[in-house]
Amino acid sequence: MKKIILGVVFVFASITMVNANTNTNDKVDGRCSNFAMEVFYEATDQGMSYEDAYDLSNDAENICKALNFLSAQM
């Protein structure tokens, strides 16, 4: 579980760095959705229940979108 959370944090940081100059929300939304799906599949592969993995992937997508929004404001 710690590895998943740590991995999510590093991916969020890298997504924010890569998308710092992105002005279109469509590209970010697609990338965040893909990232959320990857989080879901990785979590279920690690033995997490589908419900918990779904909640984690929703959180990952929301945080991804929020970080991209904040990076666009700077």
Side-chain angles (χ1 to χ4, degrees):
M1 184 66 177
K2 289 180 184 178
K3 290 180 182 179
I4 292 173
I5 293 172
L6 187 60
V8 168
V9 169
F10 283 121
V11 171
F12 286 143
S14 63
I15 287 174
T16 302
M17 297 285 192
V18 170
N19 292 331
N21 294 324
T22 304
N23 291 328
T24 58
N25 287 334
D26 294 338
K27 291 180 183 177
V28 172
D29 290 343
R31 290 178 184 161
C32 289
S33 296
N34 290 339
F35 173 67
M37 287 174 36
E38 290 176 21
V39 168
F40 176 81
Y41 291 127
E42 181 67 28
T44 54
D45 288 345
Q46 296 291 326
M48 188 179 282
S49 70
Y50 287 111
E51 292 83 11
D52 290 340
Y54 177 76
D55 291 339
L56 182 63
S57 68
N58 278 338
D59 292 341
E61 184 174 16
N62 290 334
I63 291 171
C64 176
K65 288 179 181 179
L67 287 173
N68 281 293
F69 174 77
L70 291 174
S71 69
Q73 300 302 314
M74 294 182 168

Short mmCIF file of all heavy atoms in Angstrom, two decimals:
data_model
loop_
_atom_site.label_atom_id
_atom_site.label_comp_id
_atom_site.label_asym_id
_atom_site.label_seq_id
_atom_site.Cartn_x
_atom_site.Cartn_y
_atom_site.Cartn_z
N MET A 1 0.83 -1.19 0.00
CA MET A 1 0.00 0.00 0.00
C MET A 1 0.87 1.26 0.00
O MET A 1 0.56 2.21 -0.68
CB MET A 1 -0.91 -0.04 1.23
CG MET A 1 -1.89 1.07 1.31
SD MET A 1 -3.06 0.93 -0.03
CE MET A 1 -4.12 2.27 0.34
N LYS A 2 1.96 1.22 0.78
CA LYS A 2 2.85 2.38 0.82
C LYS A 2 3.49 2.61 -0.54
O LYS A 2 3.68 3.75 -0.94
CB LYS A 2 3.94 2.18 1.88
CG LYS A 2 3.43 2.25 3.28
CD LYS A 2 4.56 2.05 4.27
CE LYS A 2 4.05 2.02 5.69
NZ LYS A 2 5.13 1.79 6.65
N LYS A 3 3.82 1.52 -1.25
CA LYS A 3 4.43 1.66 -2.56
C LYS A 3 3.47 2.30 -3.55
O LYS A 3 3.87 3.11 -4.37
CB LYS A 3 4.87 0.30 -3.09
CG LYS A 3 6.04 -0.29 -2.35
CD LYS A 3 6.43 -1.63 -2.94
CE LYS A 3 7.58 -2.24 -2.17
NZ LYS A 3 7.96 -3.55 -2.71
N ILE A 4 2.20 1.95 -3.46
CA ILE A 4 1.20 2.53 -4.37
C ILE A 4 1.07 4.02 -4.11
O ILE A 4 1.10 4.82 -5.05
CB ILE A 4 -0.17 1.83 -4.20
CG1 ILE A 4 -0.10 0.39 -4.69
CG2 ILE A 4 -1.27 2.59 -4.94
CD1 ILE A 4 -1.33 -0.41 -4.41
N ILE A 5 0.95 4.41 -2.86
CA ILE A 5 0.79 5.82 -2.52
C ILE A 5 2.03 6.60 -2.91
O ILE A 5 1.94 7.69 -3.49
CB ILE A 5 0.46 5.98 -1.03
CG1 ILE A 5 -0.91 5.38 -0.74
CG2 ILE A 5 0.50 7.45 -0.61
CD1 ILE A 5 -1.26 5.30 0.72
N LEU A 6 3.20 6.06 -2.63
CA LEU A 6 4.44 6.73 -2.99
C LEU A 6 4.56 6.86 -4.51
O LEU A 6 4.96 7.91 -5.02
CB LEU A 6 5.64 5.97 -2.43
CG LEU A 6 6.99 6.62 -2.57
CD1 LEU A 6 7.01 7.98 -1.88
CD2 LEU A 6 8.07 5.73 -1.98
N GLY A 7 4.19 5.82 -5.23
CA GLY A 7 4.22 5.87 -6.68
C GLY A 7 3.26 6.92 -7.22
O GLY A 7 3.58 7.64 -8.18
N VAL A 8 2.07 7.01 -6.62
CA VAL A 8 1.08 8.00 -7.04
C VAL A 8 1.63 9.41 -6.84
O VAL A 8 1.49 10.27 -7.71
CB VAL A 8 -0.24 7.80 -6.27
CG1 VAL A 8 -1.18 8.96 -6.47
CG2 VAL A 8 -0.91 6.51 -6.70
N VAL A 9 2.28 9.64 -5.72
CA VAL A 9 2.84 10.96 -5.44
C VAL A 9 3.90 11.34 -6.48
O VAL A 9 3.90 12.46 -7.00
CB VAL A 9 3.43 11.02 -4.02
CG1 VAL A 9 4.24 12.29 -3.82
CG2 VAL A 9 2.32 10.93 -2.99
N PHE A 10 4.79 10.40 -6.80
CA PHE A 10 5.82 10.70 -7.79
C PHE A 10 5.22 10.94 -9.17
O PHE A 10 5.69 11.80 -9.91
CB PHE A 10 6.86 9.58 -7.84
CG PHE A 10 7.83 9.63 -6.70
CD1 PHE A 10 7.96 8.56 -5.85
CD2 PHE A 10 8.61 10.75 -6.49
CE1 PHE A 10 8.85 8.61 -4.79
CE2 PHE A 10 9.51 10.81 -5.44
CZ PHE A 10 9.63 9.74 -4.59
N VAL A 11 4.22 10.18 -9.53
CA VAL A 11 3.59 10.38 -10.84
C VAL A 11 2.88 11.73 -10.89
O VAL A 11 2.94 12.43 -11.89
CB VAL A 11 2.64 9.23 -11.18
CG1 VAL A 11 1.84 9.52 -12.43
CG2 VAL A 11 3.42 7.94 -11.35
N PHE A 12 2.22 12.12 -9.79
CA PHE A 12 1.57 13.43 -9.75
C PHE A 12 2.59 14.54 -9.94
O PHE A 12 2.36 15.49 -10.68
CB PHE A 12 0.86 13.66 -8.41
CG PHE A 12 -0.41 12.90 -8.26
CD1 PHE A 12 -0.77 12.38 -7.05
CD2 PHE A 12 -1.26 12.70 -9.33
CE1 PHE A 12 -1.94 11.68 -6.88
CE2 PHE A 12 -2.44 12.00 -9.19
CZ PHE A 12 -2.77 11.49 -7.96
N ALA A 13 3.72 14.40 -9.29
CA ALA A 13 4.75 15.42 -9.41
C ALA A 13 5.26 15.49 -10.85
O ALA A 13 5.45 16.59 -11.39
CB ALA A 13 5.89 15.12 -8.45
N SER A 14 5.47 14.35 -11.47
CA SER A 14 5.97 14.36 -12.84
C SER A 14 4.91 14.86 -13.81
O SER A 14 5.24 15.57 -14.77
CB SER A 14 6.47 12.98 -13.25
OG SER A 14 5.44 12.05 -13.24
N ILE A 15 3.66 14.54 -13.59
CA ILE A 15 2.59 15.04 -14.46
C ILE A 15 2.51 16.55 -14.35
O ILE A 15 2.35 17.25 -15.35
CB ILE A 15 1.23 14.39 -14.11
CG1 ILE A 15 1.20 12.95 -14.58
CG2 ILE A 15 0.07 15.16 -14.74
CD1 ILE A 15 -0.03 12.20 -14.14
N THR A 16 2.64 17.07 -13.15
CA THR A 16 2.58 18.51 -12.95
C THR A 16 3.73 19.19 -13.67
O THR A 16 3.55 20.24 -14.29
CB THR A 16 2.61 18.84 -11.45
OG1 THR A 16 1.52 18.18 -10.81
CG2 THR A 16 2.48 20.33 -11.22
N MET A 17 4.92 18.61 -13.60
CA MET A 17 6.07 19.21 -14.28
C MET A 17 5.89 19.17 -15.80
O MET A 17 6.16 20.15 -16.48
CB MET A 17 7.35 18.45 -13.92
CG MET A 17 7.70 18.52 -12.49
SD MET A 17 8.36 20.13 -12.12
CE MET A 17 9.02 19.82 -10.51
N VAL A 18 5.42 18.06 -16.32
CA VAL A 18 5.27 17.92 -17.77
C VAL A 18 4.16 18.82 -18.29
O VAL A 18 4.29 19.42 -19.36
CB VAL A 18 4.97 16.44 -18.13
CG1 VAL A 18 4.57 16.30 -19.58
CG2 VAL A 18 6.18 15.59 -17.83
N ASN A 19 3.09 18.95 -17.55
CA ASN A 19 1.93 19.70 -18.02
C ASN A 19 1.92 21.15 -17.53
O ASN A 19 0.89 21.80 -17.59
CB ASN A 19 0.64 19.01 -17.57
CG ASN A 19 0.43 17.71 -18.26
OD1 ASN A 19 0.87 17.53 -19.38
ND2 ASN A 19 -0.23 16.78 -17.60
N ALA A 20 3.03 21.66 -17.08
CA ALA A 20 3.06 23.01 -16.53
C ALA A 20 2.66 24.06 -17.57
O ALA A 20 2.07 25.07 -17.23
CB ALA A 20 4.43 23.31 -15.97
N ASN A 21 2.95 23.82 -18.84
CA ASN A 21 2.64 24.80 -19.87
C ASN A 21 1.42 24.42 -20.69
O ASN A 21 1.15 25.04 -21.72
CB ASN A 21 3.84 24.98 -20.80
CG ASN A 21 5.00 25.61 -20.08
OD1 ASN A 21 4.80 26.45 -19.22
ND2 ASN A 21 6.21 25.18 -20.40
N THR A 22 0.68 23.44 -20.29
CA THR A 22 -0.50 23.00 -21.03
C THR A 22 -1.67 23.92 -20.73
O THR A 22 -2.01 24.14 -19.57
CB THR A 22 -0.87 21.55 -20.65
OG1 THR A 22 0.25 20.73 -20.88
CG2 THR A 22 -2.06 21.07 -21.45
N ASN A 23 -2.29 24.44 -21.77
CA ASN A 23 -3.42 25.34 -21.59
C ASN A 23 -4.76 24.69 -21.92
O ASN A 23 -5.79 25.26 -21.63
CB ASN A 23 -3.24 26.59 -22.45
CG ASN A 23 -2.12 27.46 -21.94
OD1 ASN A 23 -1.86 27.50 -20.75
ND2 ASN A 23 -1.45 28.14 -22.84
N THR A 24 -4.77 23.54 -22.54
CA THR A 24 -6.03 22.92 -22.91
C THR A 24 -6.41 21.86 -21.88
O THR A 24 -5.62 21.00 -21.52
CB THR A 24 -5.94 22.26 -24.30
OG1 THR A 24 -4.88 21.30 -24.27
CG2 THR A 24 -5.65 23.29 -25.38
N ASN A 25 -7.63 21.95 -21.40
CA ASN A 25 -8.11 21.02 -20.39
C ASN A 25 -8.40 19.64 -20.95
O ASN A 25 -8.36 18.66 -20.22
CB ASN A 25 -9.36 21.57 -19.71
CG ASN A 25 -9.04 22.72 -18.78
OD1 ASN A 25 -7.92 22.81 -18.27
ND2 ASN A 25 -10.00 23.60 -18.57
N ASP A 26 -8.71 19.54 -22.24
CA ASP A 26 -9.03 18.25 -22.83
C ASP A 26 -7.84 17.30 -22.75
O ASP A 26 -8.00 16.12 -22.42
CB ASP A 26 -9.46 18.41 -24.29
CG ASP A 26 -10.77 19.17 -24.41
OD1 ASP A 26 -11.53 19.20 -23.43
OD2 ASP A 26 -11.02 19.73 -25.49
N LYS A 27 -6.67 17.79 -23.06
CA LYS A 27 -5.47 16.95 -22.99
C LYS A 27 -5.21 16.50 -21.56
O LYS A 27 -4.87 15.35 -21.32
CB LYS A 27 -4.26 17.70 -23.53
CG LYS A 27 -4.29 17.94 -25.01
CD LYS A 27 -3.06 18.67 -25.47
CE LYS A 27 -3.13 18.97 -26.96
NZ LYS A 27 -1.96 19.73 -27.39
N VAL A 28 -5.37 17.41 -20.62
CA VAL A 28 -5.12 17.09 -19.22
C VAL A 28 -6.16 16.10 -18.72
O VAL A 28 -5.81 15.14 -18.03
CB VAL A 28 -5.14 18.38 -18.35
CG1 VAL A 28 -5.09 18.04 -16.88
CG2 VAL A 28 -3.98 19.28 -18.73
N ASP A 29 -7.42 16.31 -19.06
CA ASP A 29 -8.47 15.40 -18.61
C ASP A 29 -8.21 13.99 -19.11
O ASP A 29 -8.39 13.02 -18.39
CB ASP A 29 -9.84 15.89 -19.07
CG ASP A 29 -10.29 17.14 -18.34
OD1 ASP A 29 -9.72 17.45 -17.28
OD2 ASP A 29 -11.22 17.80 -18.83
N GLY A 30 -7.80 13.86 -20.37
CA GLY A 30 -7.51 12.54 -20.93
C GLY A 30 -6.33 11.89 -20.24
O GLY A 30 -6.35 10.69 -19.95
N ARG A 31 -5.30 12.65 -19.99
CA ARG A 31 -4.12 12.10 -19.31
C ARG A 31 -4.45 11.71 -17.89
O ARG A 31 -3.97 10.69 -17.40
CB ARG A 31 -2.99 13.11 -19.33
CG ARG A 31 -2.40 13.32 -20.69
CD ARG A 31 -1.33 14.36 -20.68
NE ARG A 31 -0.85 14.60 -22.03
CZ ARG A 31 -0.18 15.67 -22.40
NH1 ARG A 31 0.09 16.60 -21.52
NH2 ARG A 31 0.21 15.81 -23.64
N CYS A 32 -5.24 12.52 -17.21
CA CYS A 32 -5.62 12.20 -15.83
C CYS A 32 -6.51 10.96 -15.78
O CYS A 32 -6.39 10.15 -14.88
CB CYS A 32 -6.30 13.39 -15.17
SG CYS A 32 -5.17 14.77 -14.82
N SER A 33 -7.39 10.82 -16.76
CA SER A 33 -8.25 9.64 -16.81
C SER A 33 -7.42 8.38 -17.06
O SER A 33 -7.65 7.34 -16.42
CB SER A 33 -9.31 9.78 -17.90
OG SER A 33 -10.17 10.85 -17.60
N ASN A 34 -6.48 8.48 -17.97
CA ASN A 34 -5.60 7.33 -18.23
C ASN A 34 -4.77 6.99 -17.00
O ASN A 34 -4.57 5.82 -16.68
CB ASN A 34 -4.67 7.62 -19.42
CG ASN A 34 -5.41 7.65 -20.72
OD1 ASN A 34 -6.51 7.11 -20.85
ND2 ASN A 34 -4.83 8.31 -21.70
N PHE A 35 -4.29 8.02 -16.32
CA PHE A 35 -3.51 7.80 -15.11
C PHE A 35 -4.38 7.11 -14.04
O PHE A 35 -3.94 6.18 -13.36
CB PHE A 35 -2.97 9.12 -14.58
CG PHE A 35 -2.30 8.99 -13.24
CD1 PHE A 35 -1.13 8.27 -13.11
CD2 PHE A 35 -2.85 9.57 -12.13
CE1 PHE A 35 -0.51 8.14 -11.88
CE2 PHE A 35 -2.24 9.45 -10.90
CZ PHE A 35 -1.08 8.73 -10.77
N ALA A 36 -5.63 7.56 -13.91
CA ALA A 36 -6.54 6.96 -12.92
C ALA A 36 -6.79 5.49 -13.24
O ALA A 36 -6.85 4.65 -12.32
CB ALA A 36 -7.86 7.73 -12.88
N MET A 37 -6.91 5.16 -14.52
CA MET A 37 -7.09 3.76 -14.89
C MET A 37 -5.87 2.93 -14.54
O MET A 37 -5.99 1.80 -14.04
CB MET A 37 -7.40 3.64 -16.39
CG MET A 37 -8.79 4.12 -16.74
SD MET A 37 -9.16 4.17 -18.52
CE MET A 37 -8.33 2.80 -19.19
N GLU A 38 -4.68 3.49 -14.77
CA GLU A 38 -3.45 2.79 -14.42
C GLU A 38 -3.36 2.56 -12.90
O GLU A 38 -2.94 1.49 -12.46
CB GLU A 38 -2.24 3.57 -14.90
CG GLU A 38 -2.09 3.58 -16.40
CD GLU A 38 -0.94 4.44 -16.87
OE1 GLU A 38 -0.03 4.71 -16.06
OE2 GLU A 38 -0.95 4.86 -18.04
N VAL A 39 -3.76 3.56 -12.14
CA VAL A 39 -3.76 3.42 -10.67
C VAL A 39 -4.71 2.31 -10.26
O VAL A 39 -4.38 1.48 -9.41
CB VAL A 39 -4.14 4.75 -9.99
CG1 VAL A 39 -4.43 4.56 -8.51
CG2 VAL A 39 -3.04 5.79 -10.18
N PHE A 40 -5.89 2.27 -10.88
CA PHE A 40 -6.87 1.24 -10.55
C PHE A 40 -6.32 -0.15 -10.82
O PHE A 40 -6.39 -1.04 -9.96
CB PHE A 40 -8.15 1.46 -11.36
CG PHE A 40 -9.18 0.37 -11.16
CD1 PHE A 40 -10.01 0.39 -10.05
CD2 PHE A 40 -9.30 -0.67 -12.06
CE1 PHE A 40 -10.94 -0.60 -9.85
CE2 PHE A 40 -10.23 -1.67 -11.87
CZ PHE A 40 -11.06 -1.63 -10.76
N TYR A 41 -5.76 -0.35 -12.02
CA TYR A 41 -5.25 -1.68 -12.36
C TYR A 41 -4.05 -2.07 -11.50
O TYR A 41 -3.93 -3.23 -11.11
CB TYR A 41 -4.88 -1.74 -13.85
CG TYR A 41 -6.10 -1.70 -14.74
CD1 TYR A 41 -6.20 -0.77 -15.77
CD2 TYR A 41 -7.16 -2.57 -14.54
CE1 TYR A 41 -7.33 -0.73 -16.58
CE2 TYR A 41 -8.28 -2.53 -15.35
CZ TYR A 41 -8.36 -1.61 -16.36
OH TYR A 41 -9.48 -1.56 -17.15
N GLU A 42 -3.20 -1.13 -11.20
CA GLU A 42 -2.04 -1.43 -10.34
C GLU A 42 -2.50 -1.80 -8.93
O GLU A 42 -1.97 -2.73 -8.32
CB GLU A 42 -1.09 -0.24 -10.29
CG GLU A 42 0.14 -0.46 -9.47
CD GLU A 42 1.08 -1.50 -10.05
OE1 GLU A 42 1.09 -1.70 -11.28
OE2 GLU A 42 1.79 -2.13 -9.26
N ALA A 43 -3.50 -1.07 -8.43
CA ALA A 43 -4.00 -1.35 -7.08
C ALA A 43 -4.66 -2.73 -7.02
O ALA A 43 -4.44 -3.47 -6.04
CB ALA A 43 -4.99 -0.27 -6.66
N THR A 44 -5.44 -3.09 -8.03
CA THR A 44 -6.08 -4.41 -8.00
C THR A 44 -5.05 -5.51 -8.19
O THR A 44 -5.19 -6.59 -7.60
CB THR A 44 -7.18 -4.53 -9.08
OG1 THR A 44 -6.64 -4.20 -10.36
CG2 THR A 44 -8.36 -3.62 -8.76
N ASP A 45 -4.00 -5.24 -8.97
CA ASP A 45 -2.93 -6.23 -9.12
C ASP A 45 -2.19 -6.46 -7.81
O ASP A 45 -1.67 -7.55 -7.56
CB ASP A 45 -1.93 -5.80 -10.19
CG ASP A 45 -2.48 -5.91 -11.60
OD1 ASP A 45 -3.53 -6.58 -11.77
OD2 ASP A 45 -1.88 -5.33 -12.52
N GLN A 46 -2.15 -5.42 -6.97
CA GLN A 46 -1.47 -5.52 -5.67
C GLN A 46 -2.37 -6.14 -4.60
O GLN A 46 -1.96 -6.28 -3.46
CB GLN A 46 -1.00 -4.15 -5.20
CG GLN A 46 0.05 -3.52 -6.08
CD GLN A 46 1.37 -4.26 -6.00
OE1 GLN A 46 1.73 -4.78 -4.97
NE2 GLN A 46 2.06 -4.31 -7.13
N GLY A 47 -3.61 -6.49 -4.97
CA GLY A 47 -4.50 -7.18 -4.05
C GLY A 47 -5.55 -6.29 -3.38
O GLY A 47 -6.27 -6.74 -2.50
N MET A 48 -5.65 -5.05 -3.78
CA MET A 48 -6.65 -4.16 -3.21
C MET A 48 -8.03 -4.52 -3.76
O MET A 48 -8.15 -4.97 -4.89
CB MET A 48 -6.30 -2.70 -3.56
CG MET A 48 -7.16 -1.67 -2.87
SD MET A 48 -6.67 0.03 -3.31
CE MET A 48 -5.23 0.22 -2.26
N SER A 49 -9.06 -4.35 -2.95
CA SER A 49 -10.42 -4.65 -3.40
C SER A 49 -10.82 -3.68 -4.51
O SER A 49 -10.27 -2.57 -4.63
CB SER A 49 -11.41 -4.55 -2.24
OG SER A 49 -11.58 -3.20 -1.85
N TYR A 50 -11.78 -4.09 -5.32
CA TYR A 50 -12.21 -3.25 -6.43
C TYR A 50 -12.80 -1.92 -5.95
O TYR A 50 -12.59 -0.88 -6.56
CB TYR A 50 -13.24 -3.98 -7.30
CG TYR A 50 -12.63 -5.07 -8.13
CD1 TYR A 50 -12.90 -6.42 -7.87
CD2 TYR A 50 -11.79 -4.77 -9.18
CE1 TYR A 50 -12.33 -7.42 -8.62
CE2 TYR A 50 -11.21 -5.77 -9.96
CZ TYR A 50 -11.50 -7.09 -9.67
OH TYR A 50 -10.92 -8.08 -10.43
N GLU A 51 -13.53 -1.97 -4.84
CA GLU A 51 -14.13 -0.75 -4.31
C GLU A 51 -13.07 0.24 -3.85
O GLU A 51 -13.13 1.43 -4.15
CB GLU A 51 -15.08 -1.08 -3.15
CG GLU A 51 -16.32 -1.84 -3.57
CD GLU A 51 -16.09 -3.34 -3.67
OE1 GLU A 51 -15.02 -3.84 -3.22
OE2 GLU A 51 -16.96 -4.03 -4.22
N ASP A 52 -12.08 -0.26 -3.12
CA ASP A 52 -11.00 0.61 -2.64
C ASP A 52 -10.15 1.12 -3.80
O ASP A 52 -9.73 2.27 -3.82
CB ASP A 52 -10.13 -0.12 -1.63
CG ASP A 52 -10.84 -0.38 -0.31
OD1 ASP A 52 -11.84 0.32 -0.03
OD2 ASP A 52 -10.39 -1.27 0.43
N ALA A 53 -9.89 0.26 -4.78
CA ALA A 53 -9.12 0.67 -5.95
C ALA A 53 -9.87 1.73 -6.75
O ALA A 53 -9.26 2.68 -7.26
CB ALA A 53 -8.80 -0.53 -6.83
N TYR A 54 -11.18 1.60 -6.84
CA TYR A 54 -11.99 2.59 -7.54
C TYR A 54 -11.92 3.93 -6.82
O TYR A 54 -11.75 4.98 -7.45
CB TYR A 54 -13.44 2.11 -7.63
CG TYR A 54 -14.37 3.10 -8.28
CD1 TYR A 54 -14.36 3.29 -9.65
CD2 TYR A 54 -15.25 3.85 -7.51
CE1 TYR A 54 -15.20 4.21 -10.25
CE2 TYR A 54 -16.10 4.77 -8.10
CZ TYR A 54 -16.07 4.95 -9.47
OH TYR A 54 -16.90 5.87 -10.05
N ASP A 55 -12.05 3.91 -5.49
CA ASP A 55 -11.95 5.14 -4.71
C ASP A 55 -10.57 5.78 -4.88
O ASP A 55 -10.46 7.00 -5.04
CB ASP A 55 -12.22 4.88 -3.23
CG ASP A 55 -13.67 4.52 -2.95
OD1 ASP A 55 -14.54 4.85 -3.79
OD2 ASP A 55 -13.93 3.91 -1.89
N LEU A 56 -9.53 4.96 -4.86
CA LEU A 56 -8.17 5.46 -5.03
C LEU A 56 -7.99 6.07 -6.42
O LEU A 56 -7.39 7.14 -6.56
CB LEU A 56 -7.16 4.34 -4.81
CG LEU A 56 -5.69 4.72 -4.92
CD1 LEU A 56 -5.30 5.73 -3.84
CD2 LEU A 56 -4.82 3.48 -4.82
N SER A 57 -8.54 5.43 -7.44
CA SER A 57 -8.40 5.96 -8.80
C SER A 57 -9.18 7.27 -8.96
O SER A 57 -8.71 8.17 -9.66
CB SER A 57 -8.84 4.93 -9.84
OG SER A 57 -10.22 4.70 -9.77
N ASN A 58 -10.32 7.39 -8.33
CA ASN A 58 -11.06 8.66 -8.37
C ASN A 58 -10.27 9.77 -7.69
O ASN A 58 -10.19 10.89 -8.20
CB ASN A 58 -12.43 8.52 -7.69
CG ASN A 58 -13.46 7.92 -8.60
OD1 ASN A 58 -13.34 7.96 -9.81
ND2 ASN A 58 -14.49 7.35 -8.00
N ASP A 59 -9.68 9.45 -6.55
CA ASP A 59 -8.84 10.43 -5.86
C ASP A 59 -7.65 10.81 -6.72
O ASP A 59 -7.28 11.99 -6.79
CB ASP A 59 -8.37 9.87 -4.51
CG ASP A 59 -9.50 9.70 -3.51
OD1 ASP A 59 -10.58 10.32 -3.71
OD2 ASP A 59 -9.31 8.95 -2.54
N ALA A 60 -7.03 9.83 -7.37
CA ALA A 60 -5.87 10.10 -8.22
C ALA A 60 -6.25 11.03 -9.37
O ALA A 60 -5.51 11.97 -9.69
CB ALA A 60 -5.31 8.79 -8.77
N GLU A 61 -7.39 10.79 -9.98
CA GLU A 61 -7.83 11.64 -11.10
C GLU A 61 -8.12 13.06 -10.62
O GLU A 61 -7.72 14.04 -11.26
CB GLU A 61 -9.06 11.05 -11.78
CG GLU A 61 -9.50 11.84 -12.99
CD GLU A 61 -10.62 11.18 -13.75
OE1 GLU A 61 -11.29 10.28 -13.21
OE2 GLU A 61 -10.84 11.58 -14.91
N ASN A 62 -8.79 13.18 -9.49
CA ASN A 62 -9.12 14.51 -8.97
C ASN A 62 -7.86 15.28 -8.58
O ASN A 62 -7.76 16.49 -8.85
CB ASN A 62 -10.07 14.39 -7.78
CG ASN A 62 -11.44 13.95 -8.20
OD1 ASN A 62 -11.86 14.18 -9.33
ND2 ASN A 62 -12.16 13.30 -7.30
N ILE A 63 -6.92 14.61 -7.97
CA ILE A 63 -5.67 15.28 -7.58
C ILE A 63 -4.88 15.67 -8.82
O ILE A 63 -4.30 16.76 -8.88
CB ILE A 63 -4.85 14.38 -6.63
CG1 ILE A 63 -5.56 14.27 -5.29
CG2 ILE A 63 -3.45 14.93 -6.44
CD1 ILE A 63 -4.96 13.24 -4.36
N CYS A 64 -4.86 14.80 -9.81
CA CYS A 64 -4.16 15.11 -11.06
C CYS A 64 -4.74 16.36 -11.70
O CYS A 64 -4.01 17.26 -12.10
CB CYS A 64 -4.28 13.91 -12.01
SG CYS A 64 -3.57 14.18 -13.65
N LYS A 65 -6.04 16.44 -11.78
CA LYS A 65 -6.69 17.61 -12.37
C LYS A 65 -6.42 18.86 -11.55
O LYS A 65 -6.18 19.94 -12.09
CB LYS A 65 -8.19 17.38 -12.50
CG LYS A 65 -8.55 16.39 -13.57
CD LYS A 65 -10.05 16.16 -13.64
CE LYS A 65 -10.41 15.14 -14.71
NZ LYS A 65 -11.86 14.91 -14.75
N ALA A 66 -6.45 18.73 -10.22
CA ALA A 66 -6.20 19.88 -9.35
C ALA A 66 -4.77 20.38 -9.50
O ALA A 66 -4.53 21.59 -9.57
CB ALA A 66 -6.49 19.51 -7.90
N LEU A 67 -3.81 19.46 -9.55
CA LEU A 67 -2.41 19.87 -9.70
C LEU A 67 -2.18 20.53 -11.05
O LEU A 67 -1.43 21.51 -11.14
CB LEU A 67 -1.49 18.67 -9.54
CG LEU A 67 -1.33 18.13 -8.11
CD1 LEU A 67 -0.53 16.84 -8.13
CD2 LEU A 67 -0.68 19.16 -7.23
N ASN A 68 -2.81 20.03 -12.08
CA ASN A 68 -2.68 20.65 -13.40
C ASN A 68 -3.32 22.03 -13.42
O ASN A 68 -2.80 22.95 -14.04
CB ASN A 68 -3.26 19.76 -14.48
CG ASN A 68 -2.33 18.66 -14.85
OD1 ASN A 68 -1.27 18.90 -15.40
ND2 ASN A 68 -2.68 17.44 -14.50
N PHE A 69 -4.44 22.17 -12.75
CA PHE A 69 -5.09 23.48 -12.66
C PHE A 69 -4.19 24.48 -11.93
O PHE A 69 -4.00 25.60 -12.38
CB PHE A 69 -6.44 23.36 -11.94
CG PHE A 69 -7.09 24.67 -11.68
CD1 PHE A 69 -7.74 25.35 -12.70
CD2 PHE A 69 -7.06 25.26 -10.42
CE1 PHE A 69 -8.34 26.58 -12.47
CE2 PHE A 69 -7.65 26.48 -10.18
CZ PHE A 69 -8.30 27.15 -11.20
N LEU A 70 -3.63 24.03 -10.81
CA LEU A 70 -2.76 24.92 -10.04
C LEU A 70 -1.49 25.29 -10.81
O LEU A 70 -1.03 26.42 -10.75
CB LEU A 70 -2.40 24.27 -8.70
CG LEU A 70 -3.54 24.15 -7.70
CD1 LEU A 70 -3.09 23.37 -6.49
CD2 LEU A 70 -4.06 25.52 -7.30
N SER A 71 -0.94 24.33 -11.54
CA SER A 71 0.28 24.62 -12.29
C SER A 71 -0.01 25.60 -13.43
O SER A 71 0.85 26.38 -13.81
CB SER A 71 0.91 23.34 -12.83
OG SER A 71 0.10 22.77 -13.82
N ALA A 72 -1.22 25.58 -13.97
CA ALA A 72 -1.58 26.51 -15.03
C ALA A 72 -1.78 27.92 -14.49
O ALA A 72 -1.64 28.90 -15.22
CB ALA A 72 -2.86 26.05 -15.73
N GLN A 73 -2.08 28.05 -13.20
CA GLN A 73 -2.31 29.36 -12.58
C GLN A 73 -1.00 30.08 -12.26
O GLN A 73 -1.01 31.27 -12.03
CB GLN A 73 -3.14 29.20 -11.30
CG GLN A 73 -4.48 28.58 -11.51
CD GLN A 73 -5.34 29.33 -12.49
OE1 GLN A 73 -5.44 30.55 -12.42
NE2 GLN A 73 -5.97 28.64 -13.43
N MET A 74 0.09 29.35 -12.24
CA MET A 74 1.37 29.97 -11.86
C MET A 74 2.04 30.60 -13.04
O MET A 74 1.92 30.43 -14.12
CB MET A 74 2.29 28.93 -11.24
CG MET A 74 1.75 28.43 -9.95
SD MET A 74 2.92 27.26 -9.27
CE MET A 74 2.27 27.11 -7.65
#
